[in-house]
């Protein structure tokens, strides 16, 4: 077969052509959803159908006949296979979908038209093969009606061509489309054909799923109320086909990233199998990392953060295998933004942030790799001759240090040591099972709690709290103990849903409102308000009377508490803007708490904020407060809001219409953000802004805690009171406290120096007396003595004194101290002359440390140990004398 028997298309051309084709058929074009799914049962978006789940379930309906999308996806269940010709962690999935709108016949006809029409892909029909479920005669005839010969249609079993959400529920047959890459890719087997596991000749590139049955517990499969269509075509795979390439990695996008690795490593792709695999892995993982961070995922030790960190570290490791030193993934990030930023603007907008997080993680993991190598070396040194490295140790290195098993095996092989891979695999399997049980649940999930049912039954709660503190409302539902009830009596702790409410439900970091709901003599005290599936849920206790579903009530918030929350929420916006101006545009909100008494703001940054920077940030915020700028809120379309320069919360999802909150009427205000929370009416309402603390909350994230308004006044009053108390104790004026403390610290340093000189100097009595008791051995003198009261650091000074007293002659010592905190310090030291005559400090300390409840060791010339049992000091020194032959 000739590679020239069909045309060539770029990845971008294929993506655009597919989406426009199905738009023309009447399907609504949906943008890719985030890699962070709305579905709580999913860890990461892994299929095009994820964002359409509610349409499949029938809880949402679509006016159009169907949908189409190009969905960014991420899967890591087969991470060890990534780097071969086909497997990817991040990929784009082209898909068209129907929820009863168009038929199975339409789906097959349109698919065939798209892949064979010269106006579109124009693939040769003779190189196309279709598989169908073994009982799906309908699909066979539909394909044949398009002109596909029967000998190009194969029947496969349930394992290959039947999709199911689970043991019960929606399911249906699949039909897969294969491309014949030619005999040179084949295995030559007699039965080689589509679905062959022994070769890559027949490449599956499009799967059409016809979800038409509802499997019951008894195994019966009645038809669903309406048939659904779910198709998926891997963009990288069809791009490789359309560019006449044999693997996903040879397509234009991934080959462009491999070229980055070639330039960094100096290794040409295609010249060495091991380096080729590393080049592919780094290209794939760098793309996954870029898109994950672009969607708001940050490196961590669990969940999505752990997946991100694992991919990033694996990329760094394979960079090392190719000889790339230092931070290098930034070059990949730049290229990915260049190649894909036009279709996915989020990565372009977050370019600086992605680059900073990646660089910080690379540097951190570089140190981790060094620590892992050191730990592995120690384990290998401790192994008996001919023993293998326990799999549990290899797993600990992997789990604790993120140390790749491939690197462990490589280092062990160089030392002639095998790794117990069975035990390692058992540990890994156990970990995967734990992860799968907690995170990798079925894409359809479970939705059977009371709030899911209520969300389906009731309209979304109308929030009127932007303008009102009180509202007339009606009780729509009451929940007690996870069950719907019709009535709540005095003393009952319940959750209440109203049709309209002034209560703000906890969201976006702003805490929920408190207050009361009343009807005549009945009083429901609201202690919190939470958002559940579009409903505002009022949590509290019935304090008087009774409350019933259907009651007309009056809902009133605690207005004073809300006012303080308003001020702190506006302060977070001012703080966010100031952080960006002082630290850089890479700063992005990573979490917040807006409470009545304080605010907490987490943000992405890669080092501690200096005192000078904090002062500038605080000053900027207060300048805006003193400028008395009005807070302006406008409702507009999401595109208009972004065009106005409004800041969107990193990784957050927004609807088509949003609220935009700005400080002042200027076209370029100090702060402009998308926000659904409640805010002050004027910046002057905040009164004063004070930063209370700044610190780390994990890798690449910092936290500022601050107060405003009454909270700021209370904070300042407390600090002034504390300053006055310190001044009284120091017997000075408050203005002189800093100078007085500095003088006292200077006095303390001098006193400590004098004390150290008195107890450990070369002429001190203890050292002199100890040296007088030195014993002459073969070629050197040795001091074995107890010098109680000295710390580990002071023991080293004592050893310096002994050497000085020896006047350059060979000398050694074994000294011990019961320290002031009830512990033990041991030290053995020897000059070069003593070591040459057989003195071995490390061996002696190792032998005697156990007698004082400690462990230690070191080199022949110097070794130290600590212990917890001072009662064993004399026995330890006796053991040292015996070892030395004294």
């Amino acid at each position: 077969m000739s590679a020239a028997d069909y045309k060539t298309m770029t990845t971008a051309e294929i993506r655009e052509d597919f989406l426009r084709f199905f738009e023309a058929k009447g399907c609504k074009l949906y943008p890719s959803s985030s890699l962070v799914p709305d579905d709580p049962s999913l860890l990461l978006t892994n299929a095009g159908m994820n964002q359409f789940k509610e349409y499949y379930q029938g809880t949402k309906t679509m006016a159009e006949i169907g949908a189409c999308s190009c969905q960014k996806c991420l899967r890591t269940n087969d991470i060890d296979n990534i780097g071969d010709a086909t497997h990817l962690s991040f990929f784009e999935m082209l898909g068209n979908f129907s929820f009863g709108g168009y038929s199975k016949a339409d789906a097959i006809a349109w698919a065939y038209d798209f892949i064979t029409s010269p106006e579109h892909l124009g693939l040769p029909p003779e190189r196309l093969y279709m598989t169908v479920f073994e009982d799906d005669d309908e699909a066979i005839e539909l394909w044949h009606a398009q002109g596909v010969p029967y000998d190009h249609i194969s029947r496969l079993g349930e394992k290959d061509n039947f999709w199911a959400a689970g043991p019960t529920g929606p399911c249906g047959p699949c039909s897969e489309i294969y491309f014949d890459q030619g005999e040179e890719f084949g295995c030559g087997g007699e039965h080689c054909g589509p679905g062959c596991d022994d070769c890559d000749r027949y490449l599956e590139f499009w799967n059409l799923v016809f979800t038409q049955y509802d499997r019951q517990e008894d195994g019966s499969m009645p038809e669903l109320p309406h048939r659904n269509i779910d198709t998926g075509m891997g963009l990288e795979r069809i791009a490789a086909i359309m560019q006449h390439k044999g693997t996903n990695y040879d397509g234009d996008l991934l080959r462009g990233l491999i070229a980055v690795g070639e330039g960094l490593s100096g290794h040409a792709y295609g010249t060495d199998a091991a380096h080729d695999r590393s080049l592919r892995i780094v290209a794939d993982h760098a793309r996954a990392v870029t898109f994950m961070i672009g969607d708001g995922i940050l490196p961590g030790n669990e969940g999505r953060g752990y997946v991100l960190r694992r991919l990033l570290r694996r990329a760094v490791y394979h960079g090392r295998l190719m000889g790339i030193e230092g931070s290098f993934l930034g070059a990949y990030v730049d290229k990915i933004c260049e190649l894909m930023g036009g279709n996915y603007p989020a990565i372009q907008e977050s370019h600086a942030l992605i680059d900073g997080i990646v660089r910080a993680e690379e540097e951190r993991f570089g140190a981790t790799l060094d620590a892992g190598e050191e730990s592995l070396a120690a384990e290998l040194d401790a192994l008996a001759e001919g023993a293998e490295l326990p799999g549990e140790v290899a797993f600990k290195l992997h789990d604790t240090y993120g140390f790749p098993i491939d690197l462990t095996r490589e280092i062990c092989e160089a030392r002639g040591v095998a790794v117990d891979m069975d035990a390692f695999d058992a540990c890994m399997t156990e970990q995967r099972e734990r992860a799968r049980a907690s995170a990798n649940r079925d894409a359809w999930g479970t939705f059977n709690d009371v709030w899911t049912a209520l969300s389906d039954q009731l309209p979304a709660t109308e929030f009127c709290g932007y303008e009102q503190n009180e509202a007339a409302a009606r009780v729509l539902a009451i929940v007690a103990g996870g069950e719907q009830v019709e009535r709540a009596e005095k003393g009952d702790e319940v959750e209440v849903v109203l049709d309209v409410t002034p209560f703000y439900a906890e969201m976006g970091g702003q805490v929920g409102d408190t207050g009361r709901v009343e009807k005549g003599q009945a009083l429901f005290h609201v202690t919190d308000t939470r958002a559940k599936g579009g409903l505002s849920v009022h949590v509290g206790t019935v304090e008087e009377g009774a409350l019933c579903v259907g009651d007309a009530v009056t809902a009133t918030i605690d207005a004073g508490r809300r006012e303080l929350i308003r001020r702190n929420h506006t302060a977070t916006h001012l703080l966010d803007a100031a952080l960006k101006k002082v630290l850089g545009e890479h700063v992005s909100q990573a979490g917040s708490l807006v409470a009545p008494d304080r605010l907490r703001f987490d943000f992405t940054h890669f080092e501690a904020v200096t005192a000078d920077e904090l002062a500038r940030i605080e000053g900027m915020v207060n300048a805006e407060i003193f400028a008395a700028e009005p807070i302006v809120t406008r409702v507009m379309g999401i595109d208009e809001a972004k065009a106005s320069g409004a800041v969107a919360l990193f990784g957050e999802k927004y609807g088509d219409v949003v609220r935009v909150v700005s400080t002042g009427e200027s076209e370029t205000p100090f702060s402009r953000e998308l926000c659904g929370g409640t805010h002050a009416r004027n910046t002057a309402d905040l009164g004063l802004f004070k930063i209370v603390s700044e610190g780390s909350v994990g890798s690449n994230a910092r936290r500022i805690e601050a107060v405003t308004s009454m909270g700021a006044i209370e904070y300042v009053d407390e600090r002034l009171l504390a300053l006055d108390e310190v001044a009284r104790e120091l017997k000075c004026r408050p203005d002189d406290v800093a100078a007085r403390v500095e003088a006292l610290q200077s006095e303390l340093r001098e006193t400590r120096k004098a004390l150290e000189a008195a107890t450990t100097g070369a002429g001190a009595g203890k050292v002199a007396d100890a040296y007088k008791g030195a014993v002459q051995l073969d070629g050197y003198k040795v001091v074995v003595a107890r010098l109680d009261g000295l710390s580990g650091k002071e023991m080293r000074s004592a050893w310096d004194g002994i050497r000085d007293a020896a006047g350059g002659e060979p000398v050694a010592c074994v000294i011990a101290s019961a320290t002031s905190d009830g512990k033990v310090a041991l030290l053995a030291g020897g000059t070069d002359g003593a070591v040459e005559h057989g003195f071995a400090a490390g061996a002696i300390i190792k032998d005697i440390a156990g007698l004082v409840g400690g462990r230690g060791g070191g080199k022949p010339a110097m070794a130290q140990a600590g212990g917890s049992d001072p009662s064993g000091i004399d026995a330890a020194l006796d053991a040292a004398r015996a070892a030395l032959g004294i």
Side-chain angles (χ1 to χ4, degrees):
M1 297 180 185
S2 168
D5 59 357
Y6 60 97
K7 65 181 179 182
T8 298
M9 294 177 71
T10 67
T11 299
E13 289 170 343
I14 297 167
R15 186 193 296 114
E16 179 72 12
D17 190 29
F18 179 92
L19 297 175
R20 296 296 162 253
F21 177 87
F22 282 98
E23 263 196 309
K25 297 297 184 185
C27 295
K28 181 179 179 180
L29 172 59
Y30 281 77
S32 172
S33 63
S34 170
L35 287 172
V36 180
D38 288 324
D39 184 347
S41 69
L42 282 176
L43 186 66
L44 292 158
T45 298
N46 59 15
M49 60 76 63
N50 291 160
Q51 68 168 309
F52 302 112
K53 177 174 175 178
E54 291 176 299
Y55 295 102
Y56 278 100
Q57 294 176 321
T59 56
K60 279 188 177 182
T61 57
M62 186 179 293
E64 296 79 9
I65 65 168
C68 61
S69 70
C70 181
Q71 175 65 49
K72 51 193 176 186
C73 300
L74 200 139
R75 299 176 187 172
T76 58
N77 55 308
D78 51 5
I79 190 171
D80 293 333
N81 293 325
I82 292 170
D84 62 8
T86 57
H87 289 85
L88 302 169
S89 60
F90 176 91
F91 57 95
E92 296 179 81
M93 184 65 77
L94 298 169
N96 58 288
F97 311 89
S98 171
F99 322 104
Y102 61 81
S103 67
K104 181 176 182 177
D106 291 330
I108 286 176
W110 294 347
Y112 194 75
D113 182 20
F114 181 72
I115 61 178
T116 60
S117 170
E119 290 78 27
H120 301 292
L121 299 190
L123 290 172
E126 65 272 13
R127 297 182 69 174
L128 298 173
Y129 290 78
M130 284 61 178
T131 64
V132 301
F133 180 54
E134 56 193 357
D135 296 335
D136 195 358
D137 297 334
E138 179 188 15
I140 290 178
E141 295 308 320
L142 289 172
W143 282 119
H144 186 61
Q146 298 303 313
V148 181
Y150 285 122
D151 62 0
H152 277 228
I153 306 172
S154 307
R155 296 178 187 266
L156 294 179
E158 186 166 345
K159 176 178 175 290
D160 297 294
N161 277 100
F162 196 90
W163 179 87
T168 61
C171 60
C174 308
S175 183
E176 296 178 321
I177 306 175
Y178 287 77
F179 181 75
D180 183 359
Q181 298 196 92
E183 293 181 2
E184 62 272 26
F185 289 87
C187 60
E190 180 182 354
H191 301 291
C192 183
C196 178
D197 294 328
D198 297 324
C199 67
D200 295 323
R201 173 173 178 173
Y202 297 94
L203 190 65
E204 183 266 316
F205 66 92
W206 200 351
N207 188 16
L208 282 58
V209 180
F210 310 116
T211 314
Q212 59 195 73
Y213 303 117
D214 186 10
R215 180 180 277 159
Q216 306 299 303
E217 289 187 1
D218 62 5
S220 61
M221 294 193 299
E223 287 265 351
L224 287 167
H226 58 73
R227 292 185 169 192
N228 298 319
I229 307 293
D230 167 16
T231 87
M233 174 161 57
L235 181 56
E236 291 80 4
R237 187 166 293 185
I238 190 61
I241 292 172
M242 293 306 299
Q243 292 162 29
H244 309 274
K245 304 296 184 182
T247 77
N248 289 337
Y249 290 93
D250 291 324
D252 52 357
L253 280 183
L254 286 168
R255 189 60 183 84
L257 297 181
I258 287 173
V260 174
E262 288 179 302
L264 292 169
S265 68
H267 296 294
Y269 188 56
T271 59
D272 178 87
H275 288 147
D276 287 355
R277 182 170 181 270
S278 290
L279 286 167
R280 289 192 292 265
I281 287 171
V282 178
D284 169 83
H285 289 10
R287 190 167 65 146
V289 164
T290 298
F291 275 88
M292 291 179 80
I293 299 173
D295 276 348
I297 302 170
L298 296 176
N301 293 323
E302 58 184 25
R304 301 178 185 101
Y306 175 73
V307 175
L308 170 59
R309 177 165 283 165
R310 185 181 181 196
L311 289 167
L312 195 153
R313 290 184 167 190
R314 196 163 184 255
V316 171
Y317 161 59
H318 278 276
R320 277 202 176 191
L321 287 184
M322 294 187 289
I324 306 174
E325 297 294 336
S327 299
F328 66 89
L329 287 177
Y332 284 89
V333 174
D334 293 344
K335 190 65 175 180
I336 292 161
C337 289
E338 174 193 326
L339 293 173
M340 304 186 72
N343 292 99
Y344 300 100
I347 60 171
Q348 198 69 274
E349 294 164 5
S350 304
H351 191 159
L353 174 62
I354 296 168
D355 192 59
I357 290 173
V358 164
R359 183 181 297 108
E361 278 292 306
E362 282 186 279
E363 292 171 356
R364 185 174 292 107
F365 184 51
T368 295
L369 272 177
D370 292 339
E373 287 179 318
E374 184 177 332
S375 179
L376 176 56
E379 293 286 351
L380 292 173
D381 289 342
L383 286 179
E385 185 75 25
E388 63 181 3
L389 184 75
E392 294 80 6
V393 171
F395 176 76
K396 180 182 177 183
L397 287 167
H398 163 83
D399 199 46
T400 303
Y401 296 104
F403 205 72
I405 184 62
D406 293 344
L407 184 55
T408 298
R409 295 176 69 176
E410 183 177 318
I411 293 172
C412 288
E413 185 178 349
R415 295 274 296 264
V417 175
V419 179
D420 182 354
M421 289 305 299
D422 289 340
F424 176 83
D425 291 339
C427 292
M428 289 295 294
T429 299
E430 183 180 340
Q431 184 189 61
R432 289 192 191 103
E433 291 302 324
R434 289 196 301 268
R436 186 177 295 114
S438 63
N440 194 22
R441 286 170 282 171
D442 165 68
W444 289 80
T446 55
F447 297 83
N448 296 322
D449 67 19
V450 64
W451 293 110
T452 299
L454 285 173
S455 297
D456 291 340
Q457 297 167 15
L458 301 178
T461 308
E462 179 186 344
F463 177 64
C464 63
Y466 292 124
E467 302 84 16
Q468 302 170 225
N469 293 336
E470 182 178 292
R474 186 169 299 279
V475 177
L476 298 183
I478 302 174
V479 173
E483 301 290 338
Q484 284 185 251
V485 297
E486 292 297 313
R487 180 183 178 88
E489 305 281 352
K490 180 178 179 179
D492 289 347
E493 296 181 359
V494 295
E495 298 168 291
V496 175
V497 179
L498 307 177
D499 61 341
V500 60
T501 184
F503 286 76
Y504 184 85
E506 182 175 357
M507 193 180 305
Q510 179 173 330
V511 298
D513 279 327
T514 61
R516 63 189 187 276
V517 175
E518 298 170 288
K519 177 204 171 190
Q521 298 302 310
L523 171 62
F524 175 60
H525 179 220
V526 180
T527 56
D528 195 9
T529 311
R530 302 168 186 164
K532 296 187 179 182
L535 302 176
S536 292
V537 180
H538 306 77
V539 181
T541 304
V542 179
E543 295 191 344
E544 297 292 342
L547 206 59
C548 299
V549 173
D551 282 351
V553 296
T554 300
T556 308
I557 66 169
D558 182 337
R561 180 176 180 274
R562 163 76 78 78
E563 189 59 38
L564 294 174
I565 293 170
R566 286 177 181 270
R567 296 169 186 176
N568 282 338
H569 200 152
T570 298
T572 64
H573 285 215
L574 298 177
L575 174 58
D576 190 14
L579 285 166
K580 286 179 168 64
K581 289 175 171 60
V582 174
L583 303 181
E585 287 299 319
H586 68 275
V587 167
S588 188
Q589 182 174 339
S592 68
L593 171 69
V594 179
D597 58 335
R598 69 194 191 283
L599 64 95
R600 186 178 71 216
F601 192 83
D602 297 346
F603 57 98
T604 51
H605 191 53
F606 319 114
E607 59 188 359
V609 185
T610 66
D612 177 66
E613 288 168 337
L614 286 173
R616 289 167 59 198
I617 291 162
E618 188 177 278
M620 280 187 180
V621 174
N622 281 315
E624 282 299 300
I625 292 172
F626 303 150
E629 294 282 2
I631 303 301
V632 180
T633 302
R634 293 192 175 94
V635 179
M636 61 183 73
I638 182 66
D639 292 335
E640 181 185 356
K642 289 183 177 180
S644 74
V647 173
L649 184 62
F650 182 51
E652 188 63 45
K653 306 176 184 73
Y654 296 93
D656 295 334
V657 178
V658 294
R659 289 172 59 85
V660 177
V661 179
S662 307
T663 54
E665 299 281 0
S666 166
E667 289 188 8
T668 56
F670 182 79
S671 169
R672 175 173 286 158
E673 292 194 23
L674 277 63
C675 183
T678 61
H679 285 272
R681 296 159 190 82
N682 190 291
T683 59
D685 294 348
L686 279 62
L688 178 67
F689 172 83
K690 287 296 296 178
I691 293 175
V692 175
S693 66
E694 188 277 338
S696 171
V697 286
S699 60
N700 312 311
R702 310 293 299 179
R703 171 174 292 171
I704 283 179
E705 298 197 35
V707 288
T708 71
S709 186
M710 299 304 298
I713 292 173
E714 291 172 4
Y715 175 77
V716 171
D717 285 347
E718 289 173 0
R719 292 304 180 274
L720 289 174
L721 179 61
L723 180 62
D724 288 343
E725 290 175 352
V726 171
R728 278 195 297 273
E729 291 294 325
L730 294 177
K731 296 181 174 56
C732 68
R733 296 169 58 240
D735 289 349
D736 297 331
V737 164
R740 179 68 178 132
V741 168
E742 185 178 351
L744 287 172
Q745 287 178 325
S746 178
E747 289 177 21
L748 182 60
R749 284 192 295 270
E750 292 303 316
T751 300
R752 284 174 173 167
K753 285 181 182 178
L755 178 61
E756 184 175 344
T759 58
T760 64
K766 284 186 178 182
V767 173
D769 291 341
Y771 187 72
K772 288 177 182 176
V775 177
Q776 180 68 51
L777 298 180
D778 181 20
Y780 66 97
K781 286 184 177 181
V782 63
V783 174
V784 180
R786 180 167 179 163
L787 305 175
D788 285 343
L790 303 188
S791 68
K793 180 180 178 181
E794 291 164 343
M795 294 276 276
R796 290 193 292 274
S797 297
W799 163 230
D800 291 340
I802 291 170
R803 281 187 304 186
D804 291 342
E809 294 295 321
V811 68
C813 78
V814 180
I815 52 179
S817 167
T819 63
S820 59
D821 59 357
K823 301 293 180 63
V824 178
L826 299 175
L827 182 145
T831 62
D832 290 343
V835 171
E836 288 174 3
H837 284 83
F839 182 78
I844 291 173
I845 290 296
K846 186 175 182 181
D847 287 341
I848 70 173
L851 297 172
V852 294
R855 295 176 61 189
K859 298 178 180 179
M862 167 64 76
Q864 284 188 270
S868 58
D869 183 11
S871 66
I873 290 178
D874 292 335
L877 292 177
D878 286 341
R881 292 186 183 95
L884 293 167
I886 299 175

